[in-house]
Amino acid sequence: MDSTEVVNPATGGVLRAVPSNGPAETDAAIERAQRAFPAWRQMAPGDRARLLRRFAAVVDDHIEELAELEVRNAGHTIGNARWEAGNVRDVLDYYAGAPERLSGRQIPVPGGLDVTIHEPLGVVGIIVPWNFPMPIAGWGFAPALAAGNTVVLKPAELTPLTAIRLGELALEAGLPQDVFTVLPGKGSVVGQRFVTHPAVRKVCFTGSTEVGKSIMAGCADQVKRVTLELGGKSANIVFADADLERAAATAPGGVFDNAGQDCCARSRLLVQESVYERFLSLLEPAVKAFRVQDPSLDTAEMGPLISAAHRDKVASYTGEAEVAFTGEAPAGDGWWFPPTVLLARSSSDRHWREEVFGPVLSVMPFADEAEAIELANDTEYGLSGSIWTRDLGRALRMARAVETGNLSVNSHSSVRYWTPFGGMKQSGLGRELGPDALLSFTDVKNVFIATDS
């Protein structure tokens, strides 16, 4: 079996080599998951729930281990990594309540009794990106398992280590063999087999819009269900009546968190023109104070980019643009890049239109609500965004008008496991998290029972 070297992005050093599954190994794992499915779906709902709670408890016992592993593998700050491991635990706990509450309906009909039943699909294939390896894995496997499906999960080639460990912890918690399987390997091999193998009844993919389109097209051949969470180019809209000091102080975290490698990053900053210059003067010290440090330090707010190739891609956007100001970043080994603020002179500027996926913020003024809406919606993406205003009516008007799946008012929060998450337009298809995510891992079966003699 081939292997892939996993690198620490903060140092450039090799952590370890991870075996890459080929077509034969992938097929064998999918077929084992298919054989494990009948017993898992038929398990008493309370017993399935108990195993998921136990899985959550085992993850909780290993929070620090998982966090430290993610710091080394993905370059996440230790604070973020602890939250991410805790999110896996919380999502498992949340969906552990689902098996005993996965209720259908009784629908009034003449001549009999009509009921609906939520049936699990079978084997679910989950393809996880490198930017948030732990939480995005959990958003897929927790509801899928709770609904009675078995899961095969492919981590990103760059960041497989925490997924591999979660697979081990699932077995330690008592999940039956082959109910949850982690399959490291290439997307063109393992991920593509999820798309083409007839036993995989649904694919969950998080990643680029380009790859998401190809997965959707491939799944169409078998009318296979998909959930897609794709790119973003989210707007942070600041009105003149907002708390400008707070909006400026929080803007760096809204875009530079995880080194900007976040589909929800508020990478387009729209500021009402009457306060534009003042806001930039408030933003500059906040950007310069943003701490880009060794991610293992508790004080770090941002770590390195994931790879040298990705750093070069991000740099290509700043070399051709007008730089307003930058923050600081370590020199030397690792894939470091400073927080950077660019001035957008036109909505056709490349850095304004394309998803940079790095610590780069593009700024543009606007005149009024109408122009803010036009600029915010002038993109193929629609994943997240923020609106800063003290006017409740304006906040509601803007929230209805901006074409995006997740919006925050006077906040940069995008993800809460209690609420739906997903995109509009080319940012994706379907919703993860929240009370309804479980249903996307089931088919609704309608049963009519005649009562007429």
Side-chain angles (χ1 to χ4, degrees), residues 108-318:
V109 295
L113 176 72
D114 196 277
V115 295
T116 61
I117 301 166
H118 292 285
E119 298 282 14
L121 302 173
V123 181
V124 173
I126 299 173
I127 303 171
V128 179
W130 51 257
N131 61 326
F132 289 105
M134 279 192 286
I136 291 176
W139 302 352
F141 70 66
L145 292 171
N149 303 280
T150 54
V151 170
V152 286
L153 183 146
K154 192 204 87 67
E157 293 166 64
L158 295 172
T159 56
L161 299 187
T162 48
I164 292 170
R165 187 67 181 120
L166 286 169
E168 295 167 351
L169 295 179
L171 293 174
E172 185 179 319
L175 266 69
Q177 192 80 31
D178 302 321
V179 164
F180 175 45
T181 306
V182 177
L183 292 169
K186 294 181 178 180
S188 59
V189 177
V190 180
Q192 183 61 21
R193 197 61 182 126
F194 290 178
V195 172
T196 59
H197 198 298
V200 177
R201 300 305 306 140
K202 177 172 182 174
V203 174
C204 299
F205 171 78
T206 300
S208 72
T209 297
E210 180 184 6
V211 175
K213 288 177 180 179
S214 70
I215 286 174
M216 188 174 181
C219 287
D221 186 57
Q222 298 175 22
V223 196
K224 186 174 298 190
R225 289 153 183 77
V226 291
T227 294
L228 303 173
E229 198 273 277
L230 308 175
K233 192 67 178 175
S234 300
N236 178 16
I237 307 169
V238 180
F239 285 92
D241 71 326
D243 181 341
L244 298 181
E245 286 75 13
R246 184 161 171 256
T250 58
V255 64
F256 301 142
D257 184 59
N258 199 35
Q261 300 167 133
D262 181 354
C263 297
C264 292
R266 276 74 169 159
S267 57
R268 293 186 300 154
L269 175 60
L270 293 164
V271 183
Q272 197 157 21
E273 57 190 15
S274 61
V275 294
Y276 179 75
E277 295 298 337
R278 182 183 169 209
F279 191 84
L280 287 182
S281 71
L282 294 170
L283 179 64
E284 183 172 5
V287 170
K288 291 183 180 298
F290 205 73
R291 295 185 298 273
V292 185
Q293 298 175 321
D294 177 343
S296 66
L297 297 175
D298 285 329
T299 54
E301 294 179 289
M302 178 180 134
L305 293 172
I306 190 64
S307 68
H310 188 57
R311 183 178 61 179
D312 292 344
K313 175 178 177 278
V314 171
S316 73
Y317 287 91
T318 63

Side-chain angles (χ1 to χ4, degrees), residues 30 111 179 412:
I30 291 170
V179 164
H412 295 306

Side-chain angles (χ1 to χ4, degrees), residues 338-350:
T340 301
V341 177
L342 305 178
L343 301 179
R345 298 307 185 188
S346 164
S347 59
S348 62
D349 287 354
R350 180 169 165 252

Side-chain angles (χ1 to χ4, degrees), residues 413-435:
S413 172
S414 292
V415 175
R416 293 156 299 277
Y417 60 84
W418 313 273
T419 60
F421 175 79
M424 295 180 177
K425 300 190 282 188
Q426 293 192 36
S427 280
L429 184 71
R431 292 295 181 266
E432 298 174 300
L433 302 174

Side-chain angles (χ1 to χ4, degrees), residues 10 68 71-72 75-79 82 293-300:
E68 290 174 357
V71 169
R72 295 193 299 274
H76 291 193
T77 64
I78 186 63
R82 287 176 181 134
Q293 298 175 321
D294 177 343
S296 66
L297 297 175
D298 285 329
T299 54

